[in-house]
Amino acid sequence: MVRCVEIIKVMDMDTPVLTTRVAWSVKDWAAAVSVSRVTVYRLVRANAIRSKLMGRKRLILTTPEEYVDGLTTTVVGEDQE
């Protein structure tokens, strides 16, 4: 399972702070789900994942965890009816 938590260092603190990521770059999201950037753009066009444009940058709002949890598994050789 993909963990959507980052450790960041705050300048005035010695202790790292855990934060939950709310938006992902296409490159980072693709790496987290182990797919290509092209696949990410196809998922965006198919409305399979949520995204927003910020200027020229596309931010993915669906976490990799949400996407992977939503996938269904199919057993190879299982009858498709």
Side-chain angles (χ1 to χ4, degrees):
M1 181 172 285
V2 178
R3 297 191 89 181
C4 299
V5 176
E6 277 188 16
I7 298 176
I8 59 170
K9 183 114 177 165
V10 179
M11 292 177 67
D12 295 334
M13 297 176 61
D14 293 326
T15 309
V17 177
L18 290 177
T19 62
T20 302
R21 207 167 178 173
V22 294
W24 297 71
S25 69
V26 170
K27 180 182 173 184
D28 290 345
W29 198 90
V33 181
S34 299
V35 298
S36 69
R37 290 180 30 222
V38 172
T39 299
V40 175
Y41 287 112
R42 286 180 182 154
L43 290 168
V44 168
R45 278 195 302 275
N47 291 322
I49 58 176
R50 293 174 290 125
S51 72
K52 267 301 190 205
L53 274 176
M54 297 280 297
R56 292 180 53 188
K57 183 174 182 126
R58 181 160 301 276
L59 296 175
I60 307 301
L61 304 176
T62 302
T63 67
E65 189 174 56
E66 289 171 337
Y67 177 73
V68 171
D69 287 346
L71 294 176
T72 58
T73 57
T74 303
V75 177
V76 176
E78 184 177 302
D79 288 335
Q80 303 276 330
E81 293 184 42

Coordinates of all heavy atoms in Angstrom, one line a residue:
M1 N 0.8 -1.2 0.0 CA 0.0 0.0 0.0 C 0.9 1.2 0.0 O 1.9 1.3 0.7 CB -0.9 0.0 1.2 CG -1.8 1.1 1.3 SD -3.1 1.0 2.6 CE -4.1 -0.2 1.8
V2 N 0.5 2.2 -0.7 CA 1.2 3.5 -0.8 C 0.9 4.3 0.4 O -0.2 4.5 0.8 CB 0.8 4.2 -2.1 CG1 1.6 5.5 -2.2 CG2 1.1 3.4 -3.3
R3 N 2.0 4.9 0.9 CA 1.8 5.8 2.1 C 1.8 7.3 1.6 O 2.8 7.6 0.9 CB 2.8 5.6 3.1 CG 2.8 4.2 3.7 CD 3.6 4.1 4.9 NE 2.7 4.5 6.0 CZ 3.2 4.6 7.2 NH1 4.4 4.4 7.5 NH2 2.3 4.9 8.2
C4 N 0.8 8.0 1.9 CA 0.7 9.4 1.4 C 1.1 10.4 2.5 O 0.4 11.4 2.8 CB -0.7 9.7 0.9 SG -1.2 8.7 -0.4
V5 N 2.2 10.1 3.2 CA 2.7 11.0 4.3 C 4.1 11.4 3.9 O 4.9 10.6 3.5 CB 2.7 10.2 5.6 CG1 3.3 11.1 6.7 CG2 1.3 9.8 5.9
E6 N 4.4 12.6 4.1 CA 5.8 13.1 3.9 C 6.4 13.6 5.2 O 5.6 14.1 6.1 CB 5.7 14.3 2.9 CG 5.7 13.9 1.5 CD 5.9 15.2 0.6 OE1 6.3 16.2 1.1 OE2 5.6 15.0 -0.5
I7 N 7.7 13.5 5.3 CA 8.3 14.1 6.5 C 9.0 15.4 6.0 O 9.8 15.3 5.0 CB 9.4 13.2 7.1 CG1 8.7 11.9 7.6 CG2 10.2 13.9 8.2 CD1 9.6 10.9 8.1
I8 N 8.7 16.5 6.6 CA 9.3 17.8 6.2 C 10.0 18.4 7.4 O 9.6 18.1 8.5 CB 8.3 18.8 5.6 CG1 7.2 19.1 6.6 CG2 7.7 18.3 4.3 CD1 6.3 20.2 6.2
K9 N 11.0 19.1 7.2 CA 11.8 19.8 8.2 C 11.4 21.2 8.3 O 11.6 21.9 7.3 CB 13.3 19.6 8.0 CG 14.1 20.1 9.1 CD 14.9 19.0 9.8 CE 15.7 19.7 10.8 NZ 16.3 18.8 11.7
V10 N 10.9 21.7 9.3 CA 10.5 23.1 9.5 C 11.8 23.8 9.9 O 12.5 23.4 10.8 CB 9.4 23.2 10.5 CG1 9.0 24.7 10.7 CG2 8.2 22.4 10.1
M11 N 12.0 25.0 9.4 CA 13.2 25.7 9.5 C 13.6 26.0 11.0 O 14.7 25.9 11.4 CB 13.2 27.0 8.8 CG 13.2 26.8 7.3 SD 13.1 28.4 6.4 CE 14.7 29.1 6.8
D12 N 12.6 26.4 11.8 CA 12.9 26.7 13.2 C 12.7 25.6 14.2 O 12.8 25.8 15.4 CB 12.0 27.9 13.6 CG 12.3 29.2 12.8 OD1 13.4 29.3 12.4 OD2 11.4 30.0 12.7
M13 N 12.5 24.4 13.7 CA 12.3 23.3 14.6 C 13.3 22.2 14.3 O 13.7 22.0 13.2 CB 10.9 22.7 14.4 CG 9.8 23.6 14.7 SD 8.1 22.9 14.3 CE 8.1 21.5 15.4
D14 N 13.7 21.5 15.3 CA 14.6 20.3 15.2 C 13.9 19.0 14.9 O 14.5 18.1 14.4 CB 15.5 20.2 16.5 CG 16.4 21.3 16.7 OD1 16.9 21.9 15.7 OD2 16.6 21.7 17.9
T15 N 12.6 19.0 15.2 CA 11.8 17.8 15.0 C 11.1 17.8 13.6 O 10.4 18.8 13.3 CB 10.8 17.7 16.1 OG1 11.4 17.8 17.4 CG2 10.1 16.4 16.0
P16 N 11.2 16.8 12.8 CA 10.5 16.8 11.6 C 9.0 16.7 11.8 O 8.6 16.2 12.8 CB 11.0 15.5 10.9 CG 12.1 15.0 11.7 CD 12.1 15.6 13.0
V17 N 8.2 17.2 10.9 CA 6.8 17.3 11.0 C 6.2 16.3 9.9 O 6.6 16.4 8.8 CB 6.3 18.7 10.8 CG1 4.7 18.8 10.8 CG2 6.9 19.7 11.8
L18 N 5.2 15.5 10.3 CA 4.5 14.6 9.4 C 3.4 15.4 8.8 O 2.6 16.0 9.5 CB 4.0 13.4 10.1 CG 5.1 12.4 10.5 CD1 4.4 11.2 11.2 CD2 5.8 11.8 9.3
T19 N 3.3 15.4 7.5 CA 2.2 16.1 6.8 C 1.6 15.1 5.8 O 2.2 14.3 5.2 CB 2.6 17.3 6.1 OG1 3.5 17.0 5.1 CG2 3.2 18.4 7.0
T20 N 0.3 15.2 5.6 CA -0.4 14.4 4.6 C -0.4 15.3 3.3 O -0.8 16.4 3.3 CB -1.8 14.1 5.0 OG1 -1.8 13.4 6.3 CG2 -2.5 13.3 4.0
R21 N 0.0 14.6 2.3 CA 0.1 15.3 1.0 C -1.3 15.5 0.4 O -2.1 14.5 0.4 CB 0.9 14.5 0.1 CG 1.6 15.2 -1.0 CD 2.7 14.3 -1.6 NE 3.3 15.0 -2.7 CZ 4.4 14.6 -3.3 NH1 4.9 13.4 -3.1 NH2 4.9 15.3 -4.3
V22 N -1.7 16.7 -0.1 CA -3.0 16.9 -0.7 C -3.0 17.0 -2.2 O -4.0 16.9 -2.8 CB -3.7 18.2 -0.1 CG1 -4.0 18.0 1.4 CG2 -2.8 19.4 -0.3
A23 N -1.8 17.2 -2.8 CA -1.7 17.3 -4.2 C -0.3 16.7 -4.7 O 0.6 16.8 -3.9 CB -1.8 18.8 -4.7
W24 N -0.3 16.1 -5.8 CA 0.8 15.4 -6.3 C 1.2 16.0 -7.7 O 0.3 16.3 -8.5 CB 0.6 14.0 -6.5 CG 0.3 13.3 -5.2 CD1 -0.8 13.4 -4.4 CD2 1.1 12.3 -4.5 NE1 -0.7 12.6 -3.3 CE2 0.5 11.9 -3.4 CE3 2.4 11.8 -4.8 CZ2 1.0 11.0 -2.5 CZ3 2.9 10.9 -3.9 CH2 2.2 10.5 -2.8
S25 N 2.4 16.1 -8.1 CA 2.8 16.3 -9.5 C 2.5 15.1 -10.3 O 2.5 14.0 -9.7 CB 4.3 16.7 -9.6 OG 5.1 15.6 -9.3
V26 N 2.4 15.2 -11.6 CA 2.2 14.0 -12.4 C 3.3 13.1 -12.3 O 3.1 11.8 -12.1 CB 2.0 14.5 -13.9 CG1 2.0 13.3 -14.8 CG2 0.7 15.3 -14.0
K27 N 4.5 13.6 -12.2 CA 5.7 12.7 -12.1 C 5.7 11.9 -10.8 O 6.0 10.7 -10.8 CB 7.0 13.6 -12.2 CG 8.3 12.8 -12.1 CD 9.5 13.8 -12.2 CE 10.8 13.1 -11.9 NZ 11.9 14.0 -11.9
D28 N 5.5 12.6 -9.7 CA 5.5 12.0 -8.4 C 4.4 10.9 -8.2 O 4.5 9.9 -7.7 CB 5.4 13.0 -7.3 CG 6.6 13.8 -7.1 OD1 7.7 13.4 -7.7 OD2 6.6 14.9 -6.4
W29 N 3.2 11.3 -8.8 CA 2.0 10.4 -8.7 C 2.3 9.1 -9.5 O 2.0 8.0 -9.1 CB 0.8 11.1 -9.1 CG -0.5 10.4 -8.7 CD1 -1.2 10.7 -7.6 CD2 -1.2 9.4 -9.4 NE1 -2.3 9.8 -7.5 CE2 -2.4 9.1 -8.6 CE3 -1.0 8.8 -10.6 CZ2 -3.3 8.1 -9.0 CZ3 -2.0 7.8 -11.0 CH2 -3.1 7.5 -10.2
A30 N 2.8 9.3 -10.7 CA 3.1 8.2 -11.6 C 4.2 7.3 -10.9 O 4.0 6.0 -10.9 CB 3.7 8.7 -12.9
A31 N 5.2 7.8 -10.3 CA 6.2 7.0 -9.6 C 5.5 6.3 -8.4 O 5.9 5.1 -8.2 CB 7.3 7.9 -9.1
A32 N 4.6 6.9 -7.7 CA 4.0 6.3 -6.5 C 3.1 5.1 -6.9 O 3.0 4.1 -6.1 CB 3.2 7.3 -5.7
V33 N 2.5 5.2 -8.1 CA 1.6 4.1 -8.5 C 2.3 3.2 -9.5 O 1.7 2.2 -9.8 CB 0.3 4.8 -9.2 CG1 -0.7 3.7 -9.6 CG2 -0.4 5.7 -8.2
S34 N 3.5 3.5 -9.9 CA 4.3 2.7 -10.8 C 3.7 2.6 -12.2 O 3.5 1.5 -12.8 CB 4.5 1.3 -10.2 OG 5.2 1.3 -9.0
V35 N 3.3 3.8 -12.7 CA 2.7 3.9 -14.0 C 3.5 5.0 -14.7 O 4.2 5.8 -14.1 CB 1.2 4.2 -14.1 CG1 0.4 3.0 -13.5 CG2 0.9 5.5 -13.4
S36 N 3.3 5.1 -16.0 CA 4.0 6.2 -16.8 C 3.2 7.5 -16.7 O 2.0 7.5 -16.3 CB 4.1 5.8 -18.3 OG 2.8 5.8 -18.9
R37 N 3.9 8.6 -17.0 CA 3.2 9.9 -17.0 C 2.0 9.9 -18.0 O 1.0 10.5 -17.8 CB 4.2 11.0 -17.4 CG 5.2 11.2 -16.3 CD 6.2 12.3 -16.6 NE 5.6 13.3 -17.5 CZ 6.2 13.9 -18.5 NH1 7.4 13.5 -18.8 NH2 5.6 14.7 -19.3
V38 N 2.2 9.2 -19.2 CA 1.2 9.1 -20.2 C -0.1 8.5 -19.6 O -1.2 8.9 -19.8 CB 1.7 8.4 -21.4 CG1 0.6 8.1 -22.4 CG2 2.8 9.1 -22.1
T39 N 0.1 7.4 -18.8 CA -1.0 6.7 -18.2 C -1.7 7.7 -17.2 O -2.9 7.7 -17.2 CB -0.5 5.5 -17.5 OG1 0.1 4.6 -18.4 CG2 -1.6 4.8 -16.7
V40 N -1.0 8.5 -16.5 CA -1.6 9.5 -15.6 C -2.5 10.4 -16.4 O -3.6 10.7 -16.0 CB -0.5 10.2 -14.8 CG1 -1.2 11.3 -13.9 CG2 0.3 9.3 -13.9
Y41 N -2.0 11.0 -17.5 CA -2.8 11.9 -18.3 C -4.0 11.2 -18.9 O -5.1 11.8 -19.0 CB -1.9 12.5 -19.4 CG -1.0 13.5 -18.9 CD1 0.4 13.3 -18.9 CD2 -1.5 14.7 -18.4 CE1 1.3 14.3 -18.4 CE2 -0.6 15.7 -17.8 CZ 0.8 15.5 -17.9 OH 1.6 16.4 -17.4
R42 N -3.9 9.9 -19.3 CA -5.0 9.1 -19.7 C -6.1 9.0 -18.6 O -7.3 9.0 -18.9 CB -4.6 7.8 -20.3 CG -3.9 7.8 -21.6 CD -3.4 6.5 -22.0 NE -2.7 6.6 -23.3 CZ -1.8 5.7 -23.7 NH1 -1.5 4.7 -23.0 NH2 -1.2 5.9 -24.9
L43 N -5.6 8.7 -17.4 CA -6.5 8.6 -16.3 C -7.3 9.9 -16.0 O -8.4 9.9 -15.7 CB -5.8 8.1 -15.0 CG -5.3 6.7 -15.1 CD1 -4.3 6.4 -13.9 CD2 -6.5 5.7 -15.0
V44 N -6.5 11.0 -16.2 CA -7.2 12.3 -16.0 C -8.2 12.5 -17.1 O -9.4 12.9 -16.7 CB -6.1 13.4 -16.1 CG1 -6.7 14.8 -16.2 CG2 -5.2 13.4 -14.9
R45 N -7.9 12.3 -18.3 CA -8.9 12.4 -19.4 C -10.1 11.5 -19.2 O -11.2 11.9 -19.6 CB -8.2 12.2 -20.8 CG -7.5 13.3 -21.3 CD -7.2 13.2 -22.8 NE -6.4 12.0 -23.1 CZ -5.1 11.9 -23.0 NH1 -4.3 12.9 -22.7 NH2 -4.5 10.8 -23.3
A46 N -9.9 10.4 -18.7 CA -11.0 9.4 -18.4 C -11.8 9.7 -17.2 O -12.7 9.0 -16.8 CB -10.5 8.0 -18.4
N47 N -11.4 10.8 -16.5 CA -12.0 11.1 -15.2 C -11.9 10.0 -14.1 O -12.7 9.9 -13.2 CB -13.5 11.5 -15.3 CG -13.6 12.8 -16.1 OD1 -12.8 13.8 -15.9 ND2 -14.6 12.9 -16.9
A48 N -10.8 9.2 -14.2 CA -10.6 8.2 -13.3 C -9.9 8.7 -12.0 O -9.9 8.1 -10.9 CB -9.7 7.1 -13.9
I49 N -9.2 9.9 -12.2 CA -8.5 10.5 -11.0 C -8.8 12.0 -11.1 O -9.1 12.6 -12.2 CB -7.0 10.3 -11.0 CG1 -6.3 10.7 -12.3 CG2 -6.7 8.8 -10.7 CD1 -4.8 10.6 -12.3
R50 N -8.9 12.7 -10.0 CA -9.1 14.1 -9.9 C -7.9 14.9 -10.1 O -6.8 14.5 -9.6 CB -9.8 14.5 -8.6 CG -11.2 13.9 -8.4 CD -11.7 14.2 -7.0 NE -11.0 13.4 -6.0 CZ -10.3 13.9 -5.0 NH1 -10.4 15.1 -4.7 NH2 -9.7 13.1 -4.2
S51 N -8.0 16.0 -10.8 CA -6.8 16.9 -11.0 C -7.2 18.3 -11.2 O -8.4 18.6 -11.5 CB -5.9 16.4 -12.2 OG -6.6 16.7 -13.4
K52 N -6.3 19.2 -11.1 CA -6.5 20.7 -11.3 C -5.3 21.2 -12.0 O -4.1 20.8 -11.7 CB -6.6 21.4 -10.0 CG -8.0 21.6 -9.4 CD -8.9 22.3 -10.3 CE -10.1 22.7 -9.6 NZ -11.2 22.9 -10.5
L53 N -5.5 22.2 -12.8 CA -4.4 22.9 -13.5 C -4.1 24.2 -12.6 O -5.0 24.9 -12.2 CB -4.7 23.4 -14.9 CG -4.5 22.4 -16.0 CD1 -5.0 23.0 -17.3 CD2 -3.1 22.0 -16.1
M54 N -2.8 24.4 -12.3 CA -2.4 25.6 -11.6 C -1.4 26.2 -12.6 O -0.2 25.9 -12.6 CB -1.6 25.2 -10.3 CG -2.5 24.5 -9.3 SD -3.5 25.6 -8.3 CE -2.4 26.6 -7.5
G55 N -1.9 27.2 -13.3 CA -1.1 27.8 -14.4 C -0.9 26.7 -15.5 O -1.9 26.2 -16.0
R56 N 0.4 26.3 -15.7 CA 0.6 25.3 -16.7 C 0.9 23.9 -16.0 O 1.1 22.9 -16.7 CB 1.9 25.7 -17.5 CG 1.5 26.9 -18.4 CD 2.7 27.3 -19.2 NE 3.3 26.1 -20.0 CZ 4.4 26.2 -20.6 NH1 5.1 27.3 -20.7 NH2 4.8 25.1 -21.3
K57 N 0.9 23.9 -14.7 CA 1.2 22.6 -14.0 C -0.1 21.9 -13.6 O -1.0 22.5 -13.0 CB 2.0 22.9 -12.7 CG 2.4 21.7 -12.0 CD 3.4 22.0 -10.9 CE 3.8 20.7 -10.2 NZ 5.2 20.6 -10.1
R58 N -0.1 20.6 -13.9 CA -1.3 19.8 -13.5 C -1.0 19.1 -12.1 O 0.1 18.5 -12.0 CB -1.6 18.7 -14.5 CG -2.8 17.9 -14.1 CD -3.4 17.2 -15.2 NE -3.9 18.0 -16.3 CZ -5.1 18.6 -16.3 NH1 -5.9 18.6 -15.3 NH2 -5.5 19.3 -17.4
L59 N -1.9 19.3 -11.2 CA -1.7 18.7 -9.9 C -2.8 17.6 -9.7 O -3.9 17.8 -10.1 CB -1.9 19.7 -8.7 CG -0.9 20.8 -8.7 CD1 -1.3 21.8 -7.6 CD2 0.5 20.3 -8.4
I60 N -2.3 16.4 -9.3 CA -3.2 15.3 -9.1 C -3.8 15.4 -7.7 O -3.0 15.4 -6.7 CB -2.5 14.0 -9.4 CG1 -1.8 14.0 -10.7 CG2 -3.5 12.8 -9.2 CD1 -2.8 14.2 -11.9
L61 N -5.1 15.4 -7.5 CA -5.7 15.5 -6.2 C -6.2 14.1 -5.6 O -6.4 14.0 -4.4 CB -6.9 16.4 -6.3 CG -6.6 17.8 -6.9 CD1 -7.9 18.6 -7.0 CD2 -5.6 18.5 -6.0
T62 N -6.3 13.1 -6.5 CA -6.6 11.8 -6.0 C -5.3 11.2 -5.5 O -4.3 11.1 -6.2 CB -7.1 10.9 -7.1 OG1 -8.3 11.5 -7.6 CG2 -7.5 9.5 -6.6
T63 N -5.3 10.7 -4.2 CA -4.0 10.1 -3.7 C -3.8 8.8 -4.4 O -4.7 8.1 -4.8 CB -4.1 9.9 -2.2 OG1 -5.1 8.9 -1.9 CG2 -4.4 11.2 -1.5
P64 N -2.5 8.4 -4.5 CA -2.3 7.1 -5.0 C -3.0 6.0 -4.2 O -3.5 5.0 -4.8 CB -0.7 6.9 -4.9 CG -0.3 8.3 -4.9 CD -1.3 9.1 -4.2
E65 N -3.1 6.1 -2.9 CA -3.8 5.2 -2.1 C -5.2 5.0 -2.5 O -5.8 3.9 -2.5 CB -3.6 5.6 -0.6 CG -4.1 4.6 0.4 CD -3.8 5.0 1.8 OE1 -4.2 6.1 2.2 OE2 -3.1 4.2 2.5
E66 N -5.9 6.2 -2.7 CA -7.3 6.1 -3.1 C -7.5 5.4 -4.4 O -8.4 4.6 -4.6 CB -7.9 7.6 -3.2 CG -8.1 8.3 -2.0 CD -8.4 9.8 -2.2 OE1 -8.1 10.3 -3.3 OE2 -9.0 10.4 -1.3
Y67 N -6.6 5.7 -5.3 CA -6.7 5.1 -6.7 C -6.4 3.6 -6.6 O -7.2 2.8 -7.1 CB -5.6 5.7 -7.6 CG -5.7 5.0 -9.0 CD1 -6.7 5.2 -9.9 CD2 -4.6 4.1 -9.3 CE1 -6.7 4.6 -11.1 CE2 -4.7 3.5 -10.6 CZ -5.7 3.7 -11.4 OH -5.8 3.1 -12.7
V68 N -5.4 3.1 -5.9 CA -5.1 1.7 -5.8 C -6.2 1.0 -5.0 O -6.6 -0.1 -5.4 CB -3.7 1.5 -5.1 CG1 -3.5 0.0 -4.7 CG2 -2.6 2.0 -6.0
D69 N -6.8 1.6 -4.0 CA -7.8 1.0 -3.2 C -9.1 0.8 -4.1 O -9.9 -0.1 -3.9 CB -8.2 1.8 -2.0 CG -7.2 1.7 -0.9 OD1 -6.3 0.7 -1.0 OD2 -7.2 2.5 0.0
G70 N -9.3 1.6 -5.1 CA -10.4 1.6 -6.0 C -10.3 0.6 -7.1 O -11.3 0.3 -7.8
L71 N -9.1 0.0 -7.3 CA -8.9 -0.9 -8.4 C -9.6 -2.3 -8.0 O -9.6 -2.7 -6.8 CB -7.4 -1.2 -8.6 CG -6.7 0.0 -9.2 CD1 -5.2 -0.4 -9.3 CD2 -7.2 0.4 -10.6
T72 N -10.1 -2.9 -9.0 CA -10.7 -4.3 -8.7 C -9.7 -5.3 -9.3 O -9.0 -5.0 -10.3 CB -12.1 -4.4 -9.4 OG1 -11.9 -4.2 -10.8 CG2 -13.1 -3.5 -8.8
T73 N -9.6 -6.4 -8.7 CA -8.8 -7.5 -9.1 C -9.6 -8.5 -9.9 O -10.7 -8.8 -9.5 CB -8.0 -8.1 -8.0 OG1 -9.0 -8.7 -7.1 CG2 -7.1 -7.2 -7.2
T74 N -9.0 -9.0 -11.0 CA -9.6 -10.0 -11.8 C -8.7 -11.2 -11.8 O -7.5 -11.0 -12.1 CB -9.8 -9.5 -13.2 OG1 -10.6 -8.3 -13.1 CG2 -10.5 -10.5 -14.1
V75 N -9.2 -12.3 -11.6 CA -8.4 -13.6 -11.6 C -8.3 -14.0 -13.1 O -9.3 -14.0 -13.8 CB -9.1 -14.7 -10.8 CG1 -8.3 -16.0 -10.9 CG2 -9.3 -14.2 -9.4
V76 N -7.0 -14.3 -13.5 CA -6.8 -14.7 -14.8 C -7.5 -16.0 -15.1 O -7.4 -16.9 -14.3 CB -5.3 -14.8 -15.1 CG1 -5.0 -15.3 -16.5 CG2 -4.6 -13.4 -14.9
G77 N -8.2 -16.1 -16.2 CA -8.8 -17.3 -16.5 C -10.3 -17.4 -16.0 O -11.0 -18.3 -16.3
E78 N -10.7 -16.4 -15.2 CA -12.0 -16.4 -14.7 C -13.0 -16.1 -15.8 O -12.7 -15.2 -16.6 CB -12.1 -15.3 -13.6 CG -13.4 -15.2 -12.8 CD -13.4 -14.2 -11.7 OE1 -12.5 -14.3 -10.8 OE2 -14.1 -13.3 -11.8
D79 N -14.1 -16.7 -15.8 CA -15.1 -16.5 -16.8 C -15.7 -15.0 -16.7 O -16.0 -14.6 -15.6 CB -16.3 -17.4 -16.8 CG -15.9 -18.8 -17.2 OD1 -14.9 -18.9 -18.0 OD2 -16.5 -19.8 -16.8
Q80 N -15.7 -14.3 -17.8 CA -16.2 -13.0 -17.9 C -17.7 -13.0 -18.4 O -17.9 -13.4 -19.5 CB -15.4 -12.1 -18.8 CG -13.9 -12.0 -18.4 CD -13.6 -11.0 -17.4 OE1 -14.3 -10.0 -17.3 NE2 -12.6 -11.2 -16.6
E81 N -18.6 -12.7 -17.5 CA -20.0 -12.7 -18.0 C -20.6 -11.4 -18.0 O -20.4 -10.5 -17.4 CB -20.8 -13.6 -17.1 CG -20.4 -15.1 -17.2 CD -21.3 -16.0 -16.3 OE1 -22.5 -15.8 -16.3 OE2 -20.7 -16.8 -15.6

